[in-house]
Amino acid sequence: MEPTLEFIKSNEKRFLDELFNLLRIPSVSADSKYKGDVAKAAEFIKASLEQAGVDKAEICETKGHPIVYAEKMIDPKLKTVIIYGHYDVQPADPINLWNTPPFEPTIRDGKIFARGSCDDKGQVFMHVKAFESMMKTNSLPCNVKFMIEGEEEVGSSNLGEWIRENKKRLTGDVILISDTSILANDTPSIEVGLRGLSYVEVEVTGPNRDLHSGVYGGAVGNPIQVLCDMITSMKDKNNHITIPGFYDDVVELTKEERIELNKTPFDETDYKKDLGVDELVGETGFTSLERTGIRPTLELNGIWGGYTGEGSKTVLPSSAFAKISMRLVPNQSNAKITKLFTDHFNKIAPKSVKVKVTPHHGGEPVVTPTDSVAFKAAAKAMEKTFGKKPIPTRGGGSIPIVALFEKELGLKSVLMGFGLDSDLIHSPNEHYGVFNFMKGIETIPLFFRYYSEMSK
Ligand code: BES
Ligand code: MN
Ligand code: MN
């Protein structure tokens, strides 16, 4: 066996033990109560990169959570790969639905159960261990820079500024990211597109105070009802979004491109069974692969108002709220869609209420090239470790920083992720296969090797 692969195989147990220590740190970026733990996770990443053999590693403070930057320069004439990932995680709620505590990692059925195991600590740690394995076996073929942030799950709002301020040290040739999924463990794939995101919170206010629902009900507009009506009106019977101009900038795929996209293995029966639903719902005229890959959407992420506690309380609430996300596809712009939504929401509000729209974070969509040396190197590396050529896919999720890397640094990314859509990221019982973790560590050094060889 090749020395790097041998090193990886013989260190599996230690790699997992170390990953478990990282997973035990509840680095929830959204909740200020965990600020200290987010900082601890950054220190952990820094220390593991130092131990793995980088020249220098640094914790870079931002207005929010810190960015860990590290580099190993072997020769400025060689290529430089920039690794991006995030060590922050989503909140673990609802905690009571976890079979084992979210920050006490355990392995069951070959899967590591813990918040962040797949998204993205497990995948970031693959890069740390792959780098260590190349260093220990003297096989690192080019320069590496690491940029591991702590605010991805809350919109990477300080990373853009940091990139602009650190342009000089961020010179490189390609960005490599493992924060996406493959189709199945026996069907490797590489995501070549990510959707953009426009996220807003809306508030609908009716009467100036909560009212008795018997004394006033029937005569006064109910903000929850109004909000529901407004939301309902934003999609027609074909599940087409009715906000004027919403689709104006959408690039339609050619017939050939659609045929190609729909060749992606997808079993609708299995998909429904896995989710426990009898019927799928989406925009008429498009397949599920298209609905999640190349079409924009509008989804409710949360809705609240009135009394939701135990028992019943007869109340006509003064206000109602919702959090709404819109996923965007190439050529749509987050700022423009947010404005179209805001204008429309204000316009359709009946006189019985006042409305307020507050934009949250957002991001632009991206498509990544399939004809670049880096993509070809990733495909060759995956083909070698999985024994099958990876299929290019269009992902439904968002990693807003990918478009920013292109804009600010002029660098393209390769999305070589190893998760599965069924890993329950953001949900209770998130997990990551030991198979996937190890496969990642084995594939990354091959990417480095092929990328260096093929760029000569
Ligand atoms: N890693 C995910 C994005 C992802 C998951 C892409 C699976 C492709 C496949 C990332 O951490 C994430 O959750 N992004 C957020 C956006 C962010 C601004 C909160 C998302 O997609 O909702
Ligand atoms: Mn992620
Ligand atoms: Mn995430």
Side-chain angles (χ1 to χ4, degrees):
M1 205 176 5
E2 220 231 292
T4 309
L5 187 60
E6 198 173 302
F7 180 88
I8 293 168
K9 298 249 188 227
S10 56
N11 281 279
E12 174 169 339
K13 181 160 183 321
R14 178 173 62 84
F15 289 173
L16 283 167
D17 284 345
E18 292 175 8
L19 171 63
F20 274 35
N21 288 333
L22 173 61
L23 293 173
R24 284 190 188 101
I25 307 169
S27 51
V28 179
S29 51
D31 189 340
S32 56
K33 162 166 113 232
Y34 294 102
K35 196 167 172 23
D37 292 299
V38 177
K40 255 190 224 161
E43 288 291 348
F44 186 102
I45 297 285
K46 174 176 179 261
S48 32
L49 283 165
E50 280 167 343
Q51 180 260 324
V54 295
D55 300 326
K56 53 179 180 197
E58 203 187 305
I59 303 261
C60 309
E61 297 299 337
T62 70
K63 281 192 213 100
H65 300 300
I67 294 157
V68 183
Y69 177 80
E71 58 182 47
K72 175 76 201 172
M73 295 300 289
I74 52 177
D75 181 349
K77 287 194 287 296
L78 293 173
K79 291 279 173 203
T80 300
V81 176
I82 304 179
I83 311 280
Y84 164 81
H86 62 97
Y87 65 79
D88 65 319
V89 300
Q90 286 274 326
D93 316 71
I95 302 260
N96 60 324
L97 295 181
W98 284 77
N99 295 327
T100 47
F103 299 108
E104 290 173 28
T106 45
I107 297 185
R108 289 193 302 278
D109 302 330
K111 295 172 189 130
I112 307 154
F113 283 83
R115 171 56 86 231
S117 55
C118 173
D119 186 13
D120 183 33
K121 285 172 170 173
Q123 299 205 63
V124 161
F125 210 60
M126 298 180 324
H127 284 277
V128 180
K129 294 297 118 179
F131 171 72
E132 178 190 312
S133 306
M134 289 186 277
M135 289 301 291
K136 294 282 147 67
T137 56
N138 253 319
S139 61
L140 181 71
C142 61
N143 307 308
V144 200
K145 294 177 176 176
F146 290 89
M147 212 178 118
I148 314 296
E149 70 151 317
E151 294 191 297
E152 197 276 342
E153 299 292 9
V154 287
S156 306
S157 38
N158 295 297
L159 188 59
E161 189 182 321
W162 189 83
I163 292 172
R164 280 188 288 278
E165 283 167 3
N166 288 271
K167 264 189 185 163
K168 266 212 190 100
R169 62 171 164 184
L170 292 174
T171 50
D173 298 283
V174 69
I175 313 242
L176 180 63
I177 305 176
S178 296
D179 194 21
T180 49
S181 322
I182 52 172
L183 287 164
N185 283 351
D186 59 1
T187 318
S189 57
I190 300 178
E191 290 193 13
V192 294
L194 291 166
R195 290 195 287 186
L197 180 65
S198 164
Y199 199 109
V200 295
E201 185 165 328
V202 297
E203 182 177 348
V204 173
T205 309
N208 58 10
R209 57 187 187 274
D210 280 3
L211 304 173
H212 188 288
S213 66
V215 175
Y216 290 96
V220 179
N222 182 320
I224 299 181
Q225 178 77 51
V226 171
L227 174 60
C228 291
D229 291 345
M230 288 173 74
I231 288 166
T232 306
S233 79
M234 285 196 280
K235 282 189 196 163
D236 68 15
K237 64 176 192 316
N238 293 318
N239 281 308
H240 213 71
I241 297 153
T242 57
I243 300 171
F246 189 85
Y247 294 95
D248 280 3
D249 298 329
V250 173
V251 186
E252 303 279 343
L253 263 63
T254 63
K255 213 170 134 200
E256 290 71 34
E257 285 172 324
R258 286 182 72 181
I259 291 170
E260 205 42 49
L261 176 89
N262 284 298
K263 283 185 187 157
T264 310
F266 177 79
D267 188 306
E268 193 169 310
T269 311
D270 286 352
Y271 189 77
K272 286 193 287 197
K273 194 167 156 235
D274 174 51
L275 300 175
V277 297
D278 294 332
E279 192 178 42
L280 296 179
V281 177
E283 195 182 353
T284 306
F286 295 94
T287 63
S288 296
L289 283 167
E290 292 172 332
R291 289 168 178 173
T292 55
I294 55 152
R295 296 298 294 169
T297 57
L298 183 151
E299 290 296 325
L300 277 162
N301 294 254
I303 183 160
W304 70 100
Y307 184 71
T308 56
E310 197 182 326
S312 62
K313 177 189 179 194
T314 49
V315 61
L316 193 164
S318 163
S319 48
F321 307 82
K323 290 186 193 280
I324 298 172
S325 65
M326 287 159 281
R327 295 281 167 172
L328 315 177
V329 298
N331 208 37
Q332 281 185 301
S333 120
N334 146 44
K336 185 170 169 189
I337 290 294
T338 302
K339 178 159 191 334
L340 287 178
F341 177 94
T342 308
D343 292 349
H344 182 65
F345 201 77
N346 280 303
K347 192 169 155 241
I348 62 172
K351 287 211 181 68
S352 59
V353 297
K354 289 183 187 60
V355 301
K356 191 171 134 201
V357 179
T358 311
H360 282 269
H361 54 71
E364 306 300 354
V366 273
V367 241
T368 59
T370 51
D371 57 358
S372 64
V373 173
F375 180 86
K376 287 177 190 155
K380 188 172 169 186
M382 278 188 138
E383 183 177 359
K384 173 98 177 157
T385 51
F386 284 88
K388 265 188 206 172
K389 271 199 169 60
I391 300 169
T393 58
R394 292 284 287 262
S398 308
I399 309 177
I401 206 67
V402 178
L404 258 175
F405 281 139
E406 226 176 291
K407 185 168 155 241
E408 299 294 343
L409 303 173
L411 291 179
K412 303 274 186 194
S413 299
V414 174
L415 302 165
M416 193 171 73
F418 292 87
L420 294 173
D421 281 348
S422 55
D423 283 344
L424 302 178
I425 64 169
H426 295 204
S427 305
N429 302 310
E430 174 179 354
H431 54 269
Y432 191 42
V434 175
F435 169 90
N436 305 68
F437 178 65
M438 294 307 293
K439 200 55 114 184
I441 302 176
E442 288 161 29
T443 310
I444 293 161
L446 290 175
F447 167 83
F448 274 81
R449 184 203 289 175
Y450 297 146
Y451 179 62
S452 303
E453 284 172 8
M454 289 157 82
S455 4
K456 272 186 191 139

